[in-house]
CSV table of all heavy atoms in Angstrom, one decimal:
chain,number,residue,atom,x,y,z
I,970,MET,N,0.8,-1.2,0.0
I,970,MET,CA,0.0,0.0,0.0
I,970,MET,C,0.9,1.3,0.0
I,970,MET,O,1.9,1.3,0.6
I,970,MET,CB,-0.9,0.0,1.2
I,970,MET,CG,-2.2,0.7,1.0
I,970,MET,SD,-3.2,0.6,2.5
I,970,MET,CE,-2.8,2.1,3.3
I,971,ALA,N,0.4,2.3,-0.7
I,971,ALA,CA,1.2,3.5,-0.8
I,971,ALA,C,1.2,4.2,0.6
I,971,ALA,O,0.3,4.1,1.4
I,971,ALA,CB,0.6,4.4,-1.8
I,972,ALA,N,2.3,4.9,0.9
I,972,ALA,CA,2.4,5.6,2.1
I,972,ALA,C,1.4,6.7,2.2
I,972,ALA,O,1.0,7.3,1.1
I,972,ALA,CB,3.8,6.1,2.3
I,973,GLN,N,1.0,7.0,3.4
I,973,GLN,CA,0.0,8.1,3.6
I,973,GLN,C,0.4,9.0,4.7
I,973,GLN,O,1.0,8.6,5.7
I,973,GLN,CB,-1.3,7.4,4.0
I,973,GLN,CG,-2.5,7.7,3.3
I,973,GLN,CD,-3.7,7.2,3.9
I,973,GLN,OE1,-3.7,6.2,4.7
I,973,GLN,NE2,-4.8,7.9,3.7
I,974,VAL,N,0.2,10.3,4.4
I,974,VAL,CA,0.5,11.3,5.5
I,974,VAL,C,-0.8,11.6,6.2
I,974,VAL,O,-1.8,11.8,5.6
I,974,VAL,CB,1.1,12.6,4.9
I,974,VAL,CG1,1.5,13.6,5.9
I,974,VAL,CG2,2.2,12.3,3.9
I,975,ILE,N,-0.7,11.6,7.6
I,975,ILE,CA,-1.8,11.9,8.4
I,975,ILE,C,-1.5,13.0,9.4
I,975,ILE,O,-0.4,13.0,10.0
I,975,ILE,CB,-2.3,10.6,9.1
I,975,ILE,CG1,-2.7,9.6,8.1
I,975,ILE,CG2,-3.4,10.9,10.1
I,975,ILE,CD1,-2.8,8.2,8.6
I,976,ILE,N,-2.4,13.9,9.6
I,976,ILE,CA,-2.2,15.0,10.6
I,976,ILE,C,-3.3,14.7,11.7
I,976,ILE,O,-4.5,14.6,11.4
I,976,ILE,CB,-2.4,16.4,10.0
I,976,ILE,CG1,-1.3,16.7,9.0
I,976,ILE,CG2,-2.5,17.4,11.2
I,976,ILE,CD1,-1.5,18.1,8.4
I,977,ASP,N,-2.8,14.7,12.9
I,977,ASP,CA,-3.8,14.7,14.0
I,977,ASP,C,-4.3,16.1,14.3
I,977,ASP,O,-3.6,16.9,14.9
I,977,ASP,CB,-3.1,14.1,15.3
I,977,ASP,CG,-4.1,14.0,16.4
I,977,ASP,OD1,-5.2,14.6,16.4
I,977,ASP,OD2,-3.8,13.2,17.4
I,978,GLU,N,-5.4,16.4,13.7
I,978,GLU,CA,-5.9,17.8,13.8
I,978,GLU,C,-6.2,18.3,15.2
I,978,GLU,O,-6.1,19.5,15.5
I,978,GLU,CB,-7.1,18.0,12.9
I,978,GLU,CG,-6.7,17.9,11.4
I,978,GLU,CD,-7.8,18.2,10.4
I,978,GLU,OE1,-8.9,18.6,10.9
I,978,GLU,OE2,-7.6,18.0,9.2
I,979,GLU,N,-6.5,17.4,16.1
I,979,GLU,CA,-6.7,17.8,17.5
I,979,GLU,C,-5.4,18.4,18.1
I,979,GLU,O,-5.5,19.3,18.9
I,979,GLU,CB,-7.1,16.5,18.3
I,979,GLU,CG,-8.4,15.9,17.9
I,979,GLU,CD,-9.6,16.6,18.5
I,979,GLU,OE1,-9.5,16.8,19.7
I,979,GLU,OE2,-10.4,17.0,17.8
I,980,GLU,N,-4.3,17.8,17.6
I,980,GLU,CA,-3.0,18.2,18.2
I,980,GLU,C,-2.4,19.4,17.5
I,980,GLU,O,-1.5,20.0,18.0
I,980,GLU,CB,-2.0,17.0,18.2
I,980,GLU,CG,-2.5,15.8,19.0
I,980,GLU,CD,-2.5,16.1,20.5
I,980,GLU,OE1,-1.6,16.9,20.9
I,980,GLU,OE2,-3.4,15.7,21.2
I,981,CYS,N,-2.8,19.6,16.2
I,981,CYS,CA,-2.2,20.7,15.4
I,981,CYS,C,-2.4,22.0,16.1
I,981,CYS,O,-3.5,22.4,16.4
I,981,CYS,CB,-2.8,20.7,14.0
I,981,CYS,SG,-2.3,22.0,13.0
I,982,ILE,N,-1.3,22.8,16.3
I,982,ILE,CA,-1.4,24.1,16.9
I,982,ILE,C,-1.4,25.2,15.8
I,982,ILE,O,-1.4,26.4,16.2
I,982,ILE,CB,-0.3,24.4,17.9
I,982,ILE,CG1,1.1,24.3,17.3
I,982,ILE,CG2,-0.5,23.4,19.1
I,982,ILE,CD1,2.2,24.9,18.1
I,983,GLY,N,-1.4,24.8,14.6
I,983,GLY,CA,-1.6,25.8,13.5
I,983,GLY,C,-0.4,26.7,13.3
I,983,GLY,O,-0.5,27.9,13.0
I,984,CYS,N,0.8,26.2,13.5
I,984,CYS,CA,2.0,27.0,13.3
I,984,CYS,C,2.4,27.2,11.9
I,984,CYS,O,3.2,28.1,11.6
I,984,CYS,CB,3.2,26.3,14.0
I,984,CYS,SG,3.8,24.9,13.2
I,985,GLU,N,1.8,26.5,11.0
I,985,GLU,CA,2.1,26.6,9.5
I,985,GLU,C,3.4,26.2,9.0
I,985,GLU,O,3.8,26.4,7.9
I,985,GLU,CB,1.8,28.0,9.0
I,985,GLU,CG,0.3,28.3,8.9
I,985,GLU,CD,0.0,29.7,8.2
I,985,GLU,OE1,0.2,29.7,7.0
I,985,GLU,OE2,-0.3,30.6,8.9
I,986,SER,N,4.2,25.6,9.9
I,986,SER,CA,5.6,25.2,9.6
I,986,SER,C,5.5,24.2,8.4
I,986,SER,O,6.3,24.3,7.5
I,986,SER,CB,6.2,24.7,10.8
I,986,SER,OG,7.4,24.0,10.5
I,987,CYS,N,4.7,23.2,8.6
I,987,CYS,CA,4.6,22.1,7.5
I,987,CYS,C,4.2,22.7,6.2
I,987,CYS,O,4.7,22.3,5.1
I,987,CYS,CB,3.7,21.0,8.0
I,987,CYS,SG,2.0,21.5,8.3
I,988,VAL,N,3.3,23.7,6.2
I,988,VAL,CA,2.8,24.3,5.0
I,988,VAL,C,3.9,25.0,4.3
I,988,VAL,O,4.1,25.0,3.1
I,988,VAL,CB,1.6,25.2,5.3
I,988,VAL,CG1,1.0,25.7,4.0
I,988,VAL,CG2,0.5,24.5,6.1
I,989,GLU,N,4.7,25.7,5.1
I,989,GLU,CA,5.8,26.5,4.5
I,989,GLU,C,6.9,25.6,4.0
I,989,GLU,O,7.5,25.8,2.9
I,989,GLU,CB,6.4,27.4,5.6
I,989,GLU,CG,5.7,28.7,5.7
I,989,GLU,CD,6.1,29.5,7.0
I,989,GLU,OE1,7.2,29.4,7.4
I,989,GLU,OE2,5.2,30.2,7.5
I,990,LEU,N,7.2,24.5,4.7
I,990,LEU,CA,8.3,23.6,4.3
I,990,LEU,C,7.9,22.7,3.2
I,990,LEU,O,8.8,22.3,2.4
I,990,LEU,CB,8.7,22.8,5.5
I,990,LEU,CG,9.5,23.5,6.6
I,990,LEU,CD1,9.6,22.5,7.8
I,990,LEU,CD2,10.9,23.8,6.1
I,991,CYS,N,6.6,22.4,3.1
I,991,CYS,CA,6.2,21.3,2.2
I,991,CYS,C,4.8,21.6,1.6
I,991,CYS,O,3.9,20.8,1.8
I,991,CYS,CB,6.3,20.0,2.9
I,991,CYS,SG,6.2,18.5,1.9
I,992,PRO,N,4.7,22.7,0.8
I,992,PRO,CA,3.4,23.1,0.3
I,992,PRO,C,2.8,22.1,-0.7
I,992,PRO,O,1.6,22.1,-1.0
I,992,PRO,CB,3.7,24.4,-0.4
I,992,PRO,CG,5.2,24.5,-0.6
I,992,PRO,CD,5.8,23.6,0.4
I,993,SER,N,3.7,21.2,-1.3
I,993,SER,CA,3.2,20.2,-2.2
I,993,SER,C,2.3,19.2,-1.5
I,993,SER,O,1.4,18.6,-2.1
I,993,SER,CB,4.3,19.5,-3.0
I,993,SER,OG,5.2,18.9,-2.0
I,994,VAL,N,2.5,19.0,-0.2
I,994,VAL,CA,1.8,18.0,0.5
I,994,VAL,C,0.8,18.6,1.5
I,994,VAL,O,-0.3,18.1,1.7
I,994,VAL,CB,2.8,17.1,1.3
I,994,VAL,CG1,2.1,16.1,2.2
I,994,VAL,CG2,3.7,16.4,0.2
I,995,PHE,N,1.2,19.7,2.1
I,995,PHE,CA,0.4,20.3,3.2
I,995,PHE,C,-0.3,21.6,2.8
I,995,PHE,O,0.3,22.4,2.2
I,995,PHE,CB,1.2,20.6,4.5
I,995,PHE,CG,1.8,19.3,5.0
I,995,PHE,CD1,3.1,19.0,4.7
I,995,PHE,CD2,1.1,18.5,5.9
I,995,PHE,CE1,3.7,17.9,5.2
I,995,PHE,CE2,1.7,17.4,6.4
I,995,PHE,CZ,3.0,17.0,6.0
I,996,GLY,N,-1.6,21.6,3.0
I,996,GLY,CA,-2.4,22.8,2.7
I,996,GLY,C,-2.8,23.5,4.0
I,996,GLY,O,-2.6,23.0,5.1
I,997,TRP,N,-3.4,24.7,3.9
I,997,TRP,CA,-3.7,25.5,5.1
I,997,TRP,C,-5.2,25.8,5.1
I,997,TRP,O,-5.7,26.3,4.1
I,997,TRP,CB,-2.9,26.8,5.1
I,997,TRP,CG,-3.2,27.6,6.3
I,997,TRP,CD1,-3.8,28.9,6.3
I,997,TRP,CD2,-3.0,27.4,7.7
I,997,TRP,NE1,-4.0,29.3,7.5
I,997,TRP,CE2,-3.4,28.4,8.4
I,997,TRP,CE3,-2.4,26.3,8.3
I,997,TRP,CZ2,-3.4,28.5,9.8
I,997,TRP,CZ3,-2.3,26.3,9.7
I,997,TRP,CH2,-2.8,27.4,10.4
I,998,ASP,N,-5.9,25.4,6.1
I,998,ASP,CA,-7.3,25.7,6.2
I,998,ASP,C,-7.6,27.0,7.0
I,998,ASP,O,-7.3,27.0,8.2
I,998,ASP,CB,-8.0,24.5,6.9
I,998,ASP,CG,-9.5,24.7,6.9
I,998,ASP,OD1,-10.0,25.8,7.0
I,998,ASP,OD2,-10.2,23.6,6.8
I,999,GLU,N,-8.0,28.0,6.3
I,999,GLU,CA,-8.2,29.3,6.9
I,999,GLU,C,-9.2,29.3,8.0
I,999,GLU,O,-9.1,30.0,9.0
I,999,GLU,CB,-8.6,30.3,5.8
I,999,GLU,CG,-7.7,30.6,4.7
I,999,GLU,CD,-6.8,31.8,5.0
I,999,GLU,OE1,-7.0,32.5,6.0
I,999,GLU,OE2,-5.8,32.0,4.2
I,1000,ASP,N,-10.2,28.5,7.8
I,1000,ASP,CA,-11.4,28.5,8.7
I,1000,ASP,C,-11.0,27.8,10.1
I,1000,ASP,O,-11.2,28.4,11.1
I,1000,ASP,CB,-12.6,27.7,8.1
I,1000,ASP,CG,-13.1,28.5,7.0
I,1000,ASP,OD1,-13.0,29.8,7.0
I,1000,ASP,OD2,-13.7,27.9,6.0
I,1001,SER,N,-10.4,26.7,10.0
I,1001,SER,CA,-10.0,25.9,11.2
I,1001,SER,C,-8.7,26.4,11.7
I,1001,SER,O,-8.3,26.1,12.9
I,1001,SER,CB,-10.0,24.4,11.0
I,1001,SER,OG,-9.0,24.1,10.1
I,1002,GLU,N,-7.9,27.1,10.9
I,1002,GLU,CA,-6.5,27.5,11.2
I,1002,GLU,C,-5.7,26.3,11.6
I,1002,GLU,O,-4.9,26.3,12.5
I,1002,GLU,CB,-6.5,28.6,12.3
I,1002,GLU,CG,-7.3,29.8,11.9
I,1002,GLU,CD,-7.0,31.0,12.7
I,1002,GLU,OE1,-6.9,30.8,13.9
I,1002,GLU,OE2,-6.9,32.1,12.2
I,1003,LYS,N,-5.8,25.3,10.8
I,1003,LYS,CA,-5.0,24.1,10.9
I,1003,LYS,C,-4.6,23.6,9.6
I,1003,LYS,O,-5.2,24.0,8.5
I,1003,LYS,CB,-5.8,23.0,11.6
I,1003,LYS,CG,-6.1,23.3,13.1
I,1003,LYS,CD,-6.9,22.2,13.8
I,1003,LYS,CE,-7.3,22.7,15.1
I,1003,LYS,NZ,-6.7,22.1,16.2
I,1004,ALA,N,-3.5,22.8,9.6
I,1004,ALA,CA,-3.0,22.2,8.3
I,1004,ALA,C,-3.8,21.0,7.9
I,1004,ALA,O,-4.4,20.4,8.8
I,1004,ALA,CB,-1.6,21.9,8.5
I,1005,PHE,N,-3.8,20.7,6.6
I,1005,PHE,CA,-4.4,19.5,6.2
I,1005,PHE,C,-3.5,18.9,5.1
I,1005,PHE,O,-2.6,19.6,4.6
I,1005,PHE,CB,-5.8,19.7,5.6
I,1005,PHE,CG,-5.9,20.6,4.4
I,1005,PHE,CD1,-5.7,20.1,3.1
I,1005,PHE,CD2,-6.1,22.0,4.6
I,1005,PHE,CE1,-5.8,20.9,2.0
I,1005,PHE,CE2,-6.2,22.8,3.5
I,1005,PHE,CZ,-6.0,22.3,2.2
I,1006,VAL,N,-3.7,17.6,4.8
I,1006,VAL,CA,-2.9,17.0,3.8
I,1006,VAL,C,-3.7,17.1,2.4
I,1006,VAL,O,-4.8,16.7,2.3
I,1006,VAL,CB,-2.7,15.5,4.1
I,1006,VAL,CG1,-1.9,14.8,3.0
I,1006,VAL,CG2,-2.1,15.3,5.5
I,1007,ASN,N,-3.0,17.6,1.4
I,1007,ASN,CA,-3.6,17.8,0.1
I,1007,ASN,C,-4.0,16.4,-0.5
I,1007,ASN,O,-3.3,15.4,-0.3
I,1007,ASN,CB,-2.5,18.4,-0.9
I,1007,ASN,CG,-2.2,19.8,-0.5
I,1007,ASN,OD1,-3.1,20.6,0.0
I,1007,ASN,ND2,-1.0,20.2,-0.7
I,1008,GLU,N,-5.1,16.4,-1.2
I,1008,GLU,CA,-5.5,15.2,-1.8
I,1008,GLU,C,-4.5,14.7,-2.9
I,1008,GLU,O,-4.0,15.6,-3.6
I,1008,GLU,CB,-6.9,15.5,-2.5
I,1008,GLU,CG,-7.8,14.3,-2.3
I,1008,GLU,CD,-9.2,14.7,-2.7
I,1008,GLU,OE1,-9.8,15.6,-2.0
I,1008,GLU,OE2,-9.7,14.2,-3.7
I,1009,GLY,N,-4.2,13.5,-2.8
I,1009,GLY,CA,-3.3,12.9,-3.8
I,1009,GLY,C,-1.8,13.3,-3.6
I,1009,GLY,O,-1.0,13.2,-4.4
I,1010,ALA,N,-1.6,13.8,-2.3
I,1010,ALA,CA,-0.2,14.2,-2.0
I,1010,ALA,C,0.8,13.0,-2.0
I,1010,ALA,O,0.4,11.9,-1.7
I,1010,ALA,CB,-0.2,14.9,-0.6
I,1011,ASP,N,2.0,13.3,-2.4
I,1011,ASP,CA,3.0,12.2,-2.5
I,1011,ASP,C,3.7,12.1,-1.1
I,1011,ASP,O,4.5,13.0,-0.7
I,1011,ASP,CB,4.0,12.6,-3.6
I,1011,ASP,CG,5.2,11.5,-3.7
I,1011,ASP,OD1,5.1,10.5,-3.0
I,1011,ASP,OD2,6.1,11.8,-4.4
I,1012,ALA,N,3.4,11.1,-0.4
I,1012,ALA,CA,3.9,10.9,1.0
I,1012,ALA,C,5.4,10.6,1.0
I,1012,ALA,O,6.1,10.8,2.0
I,1012,ALA,CB,3.2,9.8,1.7
I,1013,ASN,N,5.9,10.3,-0.2
I,1013,ASN,CA,7.4,10.0,-0.3
I,1013,ASN,C,8.2,11.3,-0.6
I,1013,ASN,O,9.4,11.2,-0.8
I,1013,ASN,CB,7.6,8.9,-1.3
I,1013,ASN,CG,7.0,7.6,-0.9
I,1013,ASN,OD1,7.2,7.2,0.3
I,1013,ASN,ND2,6.3,7.0,-1.8
I,1014,ASP,N,7.5,12.4,-0.8
I,1014,ASP,CA,8.2,13.6,-1.1
I,1014,ASP,C,9.2,13.9,0.0
I,1014,ASP,O,8.9,13.8,1.2
I,1014,ASP,CB,7.2,14.8,-1.2
I,1014,ASP,CG,7.7,16.0,-1.9
I,1014,ASP,OD1,8.8,16.4,-1.7
I,1014,ASP,OD2,6.9,16.5,-2.7
I,1015,ASP,N,10.4,14.3,-0.3
I,1015,ASP,CA,11.5,14.5,0.7
I,1015,ASP,C,11.1,15.5,1.7
I,1015,ASP,O,11.5,15.4,2.9
I,1015,ASP,CB,12.8,15.0,0.0
I,1015,ASP,CG,13.4,13.9,-0.8
I,1015,ASP,OD1,13.1,12.7,-0.6
I,1015,ASP,OD2,14.3,14.2,-1.6
I,1016,CYS,N,10.3,16.5,1.4
I,1016,CYS,CA,10.0,17.5,2.3
I,1016,CYS,C,9.1,17.1,3.4
I,1016,CYS,O,8.9,17.7,4.5
I,1016,CYS,CB,9.4,18.8,1.6
I,1016,CYS,SG,7.8,18.5,0.8
I,1017,VAL,N,8.4,15.9,3.3
I,1017,VAL,CA,7.5,15.4,4.3
I,1017,VAL,C,8.3,15.1,5.6
I,1017,VAL,O,7.9,15.5,6.7
I,1017,VAL,CB,6.8,14.1,3.9
I,1017,VAL,CG1,6.1,13.5,5.0
I,1017,VAL,CG2,5.9,14.4,2.7
I,1018,GLU,N,9.5,14.5,5.4
I,1018,GLU,CA,10.3,14.2,6.6
I,1018,GLU,C,10.7,15.5,7.3
I,1018,GLU,O,10.7,15.5,8.5
I,1018,GLU,CB,11.6,13.5,6.1
I,1018,GLU,CG,11.8,12.1,6.7
I,1018,GLU,CD,13.0,11.4,6.0
I,1018,GLU,OE1,14.1,11.6,6.5
I,1018,GLU,OE2,12.7,10.7,5.0
I,1019,GLU,N,11.0,16.5,6.5
I,1019,GLU,CA,11.4,17.8,7.1
I,1019,GLU,C,10.2,18.3,7.9
I,1019,GLU,O,10.4,18.9,9.0
I,1019,GLU,CB,11.7,18.8,6.0
I,1019,GLU,CG,13.1,19.4,6.0
I,1019,GLU,CD,13.2,20.3,4.8
I,1019,GLU,OE1,13.3,19.7,3.7
I,1019,GLU,OE2,13.2,21.5,4.9
I,1020,ALA,N,9.0,18.2,7.4
I,1020,ALA,CA,7.9,18.7,8.0
I,1020,ALA,C,7.6,18.0,9.3
I,1020,ALA,O,7.3,18.6,10.4
I,1020,ALA,CB,6.6,18.7,7.1
I,1021,VAL,N,7.7,16.7,9.3
I,1021,VAL,CA,7.5,15.8,10.4
I,1021,VAL,C,8.5,16.3,11.5
I,1021,VAL,O,8.1,16.4,12.7
I,1021,VAL,CB,7.7,14.3,10.1
I,1021,VAL,CG1,7.8,13.5,11.4
I,1021,VAL,CG2,6.6,13.8,9.2
I,1022,ALA,N,9.8,16.5,11.2
I,1022,ALA,CA,10.8,16.8,12.1
I,1022,ALA,C,10.6,18.2,12.7
I,1022,ALA,O,10.9,18.5,13.9
I,1022,ALA,CB,12.2,16.7,11.5
I,1023,SER,N,9.9,19.1,12.0
I,1023,SER,CA,9.8,20.4,12.5
I,1023,SER,C,8.4,20.7,13.1
I,1023,SER,O,8.2,21.8,13.7
I,1023,SER,CB,9.9,21.4,11.3
I,1023,SER,OG,8.8,21.4,10.5
I,1024,CYS,N,7.5,19.8,13.1
I,1024,CYS,CA,6.2,20.0,13.7
I,1024,CYS,C,6.4,20.0,15.2
I,1024,CYS,O,6.8,19.0,15.8
I,1024,CYS,CB,5.3,18.9,13.3
I,1024,CYS,SG,3.7,19.0,14.1
I,1025,PRO,N,6.0,21.2,15.8
I,1025,PRO,CA,6.2,21.3,17.3
I,1025,PRO,C,5.3,20.4,18.1
I,1025,PRO,O,5.5,20.1,19.3
I,1025,PRO,CB,5.9,22.8,17.6
I,1025,PRO,CG,5.1,23.2,16.4
I,1025,PRO,CD,5.5,22.4,15.2
I,1026,SER,N,4.2,20.0,17.5
I,1026,SER,CA,3.2,19.1,18.2
I,1026,SER,C,3.4,17.7,17.9
I,1026,SER,O,2.7,16.8,18.5
I,1026,SER,CB,1.8,19.5,17.8
I,1026,SER,OG,1.6,20.9,17.9
I,1027,GLU,N,4.4,17.4,17.1
I,1027,GLU,CA,4.6,16.0,16.6
I,1027,GLU,C,3.3,15.3,16.2
I,1027,GLU,O,3.0,14.2,16.6
I,1027,GLU,CB,5.3,15.2,17.8
I,1027,GLU,CG,6.7,15.8,18.1
I,1027,GLU,CD,7.4,15.0,19.2
I,1027,GLU,OE1,6.9,14.0,19.7
I,1027,GLU,OE2,8.6,15.4,19.4
I,1028,CYS,N,2.5,16.0,15.4
I,1028,CYS,CA,1.2,15.4,15.1
I,1028,CYS,C,1.1,15.0,13.6
I,1028,CYS,O,0.0,14.7,13.1
I,1028,CYS,CB,0.1,16.4,15.5
I,1028,CYS,SG,0.2,18.0,14.6
I,1029,ILE,N,2.3,15.0,12.9
I,1029,ILE,CA,2.3,14.5,11.6
I,1029,ILE,C,2.8,13.0,11.6
I,1029,ILE,O,3.9,12.8,12.1
I,1029,ILE,CB,3.1,15.3,10.6
I,1029,ILE,CG1,2.7,16.8,10.7
I,1029,ILE,CG2,3.0,14.8,9.2
I,1029,ILE,CD1,3.6,17.7,10.0
I,1030,GLU,N,2.1,12.1,10.9
I,1030,GLU,CA,2.6,10.8,10.9
I,1030,GLU,C,2.6,10.3,9.4
I,1030,GLU,O,1.7,10.7,8.6
I,1030,GLU,CB,1.6,9.9,11.6
I,1030,GLU,CG,2.0,9.5,13.0
I,1030,GLU,CD,1.1,8.5,13.7
I,1030,GLU,OE1,1.1,7.4,13.1
I,1030,GLU,OE2,0.5,8.9,14.7
I,1031,VAL,N,3.5,9.4,9.1
I,1031,VAL,CA,3.5,8.8,7.8
I,1031,VAL,C,3.3,7.3,8.0
I,1031,VAL,O,4.1,6.7,8.8
I,1031,VAL,CB,4.9,9.0,7.1
I,1031,VAL,CG1,4.8,8.4,5.7
I,1031,VAL,CG2,5.2,10.5,6.9
I,1032,GLU,N,2.3,6.8,7.4
I,1032,GLU,CA,2.0,5.4,7.6
I,1032,GLU,C,2.2,4.6,6.3
I,1032,GLU,O,2.0,5.1,5.3
I,1032,GLU,CB,0.5,5.2,8.0
I,1032,GLU,CG,0.1,5.9,9.2
I,1032,GLU,CD,-1.2,5.3,9.8
I,1032,GLU,OE1,-2.1,5.0,9.0
I,1032,GLU,OE2,-1.3,5.3,11.0
K,1872,SF4,S1,3.7,21.7,11.6
K,1872,SF4,FE1,2.4,20.5,12.9
K,1872,SF4,S2,1.4,22.0,14.3
K,1872,SF4,FE2,2.3,23.2,12.7
K,1872,SF4,S3,0.7,23.5,11.2
K,1872,SF4,FE3,1.8,21.6,10.6
K,1872,SF4,S4,0.7,19.9,11.6
K,1872,SF4,FE4,0.1,21.8,12.6
């Protein structure tokens, strides 16, 4: 099965770090002020790892 990126939205504090580092995979929801994973995003994109490492809430997972 292809890898999948998942954000625990309960834990996301909306710092936008993942969106800045990896806009191909992470989008920004203005209403909820939280990040989301773009539909059809490539979980193997190199920037995903960077985003995971920089997330202050450690709420991004790759499965
Ligand atoms: S880096 Fe983590 S806390 Fe910051 S917006 Fe992304 S998912 Fe949310």
Side-chain angles (χ1 to χ4, degrees):
M970 208 178 95
Q973 229 191 334
V974 184
I975 295 165
I976 294 177
D977 182 343
E978 288 185 8
E979 296 279 308
E980 298 294 323
C981 173
I982 58 164
C984 72
E985 284 188 76
S986 166
C987 58
V988 185
E989 276 169 29
L990 286 169
C991 196
S993 58
V994 174
F995 299 95
W997 180 246
D998 186 325
E999 297 269 351
D1000 293 331
S1001 65
E1002 299 196 321
K1003 291 181 189 248
F1005 63 86
V1006 179
N1007 292 326
E1008 218 167 296
D1011 178 7
N1013 297 312
D1014 200 316
D1015 287 344
C1016 64
V1017 172
E1018 240 172 86
E1019 237 177 291
V1021 170
S1023 74
C1024 176
S1026 310
E1027 297 181 359
C1028 60
I1029 307 172
E1030 263 187 61
V1031 182
E1032 297 197 329

